[in-house]
Amino acid sequence: MISTGFRKFHPFASRQTLRLCFMAGLVFGLVGCNYGTMTVGSYDGTTGKTSTTVYSKYYDNGVWLLKDKLGIVVVVDHDKKQIPIAHGIVQSIGALGPGDSYASGKVSVVLWNFDSVPHQVKFKRLLTRGGELDFQNQVITAVSHELIETEVGVIPIFNYGKSVQMTLELEVAGKPRRIELELPRRTLQQLKQYFSPGSVSPYPWGGRSVKG
């Protein structure tokens, strides 16, 4: 079960803010919406049919910090005021500037404490290809059987990417950890599949609730 606080990063309940975009006559193309969605079109030369996949503006992934006791989810919220329509066509006529390839990714971490005791996590650095976030040894306490969500900063990301790769350096239970993460950009279909009420999350703990 996903908490109310976590759902603000996956607001599929507000359908108007996640409206679909459609192909603009491109065999392979990207079409953007004001809310950060991205539609990728493909063509099957055998069947002659086209198909589209609509990506949301949310990237996420989760791992265990303490097996069966404490998990962490990292969420990146793609923030771009405007994404050009029919990017391939606009780019071909030289209408895009260098900055069009980049966007801001608002990073949040969510600690899932399945244990009967609290746990403290000391955050050190988050490294990406575009730079790093220095957490300055910020300590976050995960209360027993609760989720705690914290916004930690902003990173540059590729405007038309399908994933974000990062390295998270932290300390848990007095031991340093270095975690390599690839955060897939969730499609609208996946948001409904994984984050609807009663669904099973894509993280190692599946549909398990922190409440026990």
Side-chain angles (χ1 to χ4, degrees), residues 62-65 72 74 125 127 166-170 172 176-182:
V63 296
W64 285 114
L65 293 180
I72 186 172
V74 181
R125 290 194 305 168
L127 307 171
M166 62 178 58
T167 301
L168 186 62
E169 296 179 353
L170 47 78
V172 58
R177 293 282 302 274
R178 183 181 175 93
I179 301 170
E180 305 287 341
L181 279 176
E182 180 173 3

Side-chain angles (χ1 to χ4, degrees), residues 120-156:
Q120 289 188 335
V121 180
K122 181 184 293 185
F123 288 84
K124 296 180 176 297
R125 290 194 305 168
L126 187 152
L127 307 171
T128 70
R129 294 176 179 175
E132 70 175 67
L133 288 177
D134 185 350
F135 299 127
Q136 299 181 343
N137 293 322
Q138 178 182 2
V139 175
I140 299 177
T141 301
V143 179
S144 174
H145 296 299
E146 295 288 346
L147 299 182
I148 180 167
E149 172 189 316
T150 307
E151 294 184 6
V152 294
V154 177
I155 59 173

Side-chain angles (χ1 to χ4, degrees), residues 192-204:
K192 296 176 183 179
Q193 175 184 352
Y194 295 137
F195 303 108
S196 295
S199 62
V200 176
S201 78
Y203 313 132

Side-chain angles (χ1 to χ4, degrees), residues 20 24 32 39 55 57 76 93 114 135 169 177 198 202:
L20 302 181
T39 299
Y55 292 87
K57 65 173 185 170
V76 173
I93 61 176
F114 298 89
F135 299 127
E169 296 179 353
R177 293 282 302 274

Side-chain angles (χ1 to χ4, degrees), residues 11 19 34 44 51 79 90-91 94 96 98 100-101 113 130 134-135 147 152 156 186 193:
R19 63 186 62 174
N34 289 336
D44 189 325
S51 62
D79 183 24
V90 178
Q91 185 181 52
L96 296 182
D100 182 74
S101 296
N113 191 355
D134 185 350
F135 299 127
L147 299 182
V152 294
R186 299 297 179 186
Q193 175 184 352

Side-chain angles (χ1 to χ4, degrees), residues 1-12 60 73 75 110 112 114 147 149 190-203 205-211:
M1 189 71 176
I2 305 298
S3 73
T4 303
F6 188 64
R7 278 187 184 171
K8 75 179 181 180
F9 294 105
H10 297 87
F12 51 83
D60 68 277
V73 172
V75 181
V110 187
W112 298 54
F114 298 89
L147 299 182
E149 172 189 316
Q190 287 174 329
L191 291 187
K192 296 176 183 179
Q193 175 184 352
Y194 295 137
F195 303 108
S196 295
S199 62
V200 176
S201 78
Y203 313 132
W205 45 90
R208 184 180 170 190
S209 171
V210 294
K211 298 297 183 181

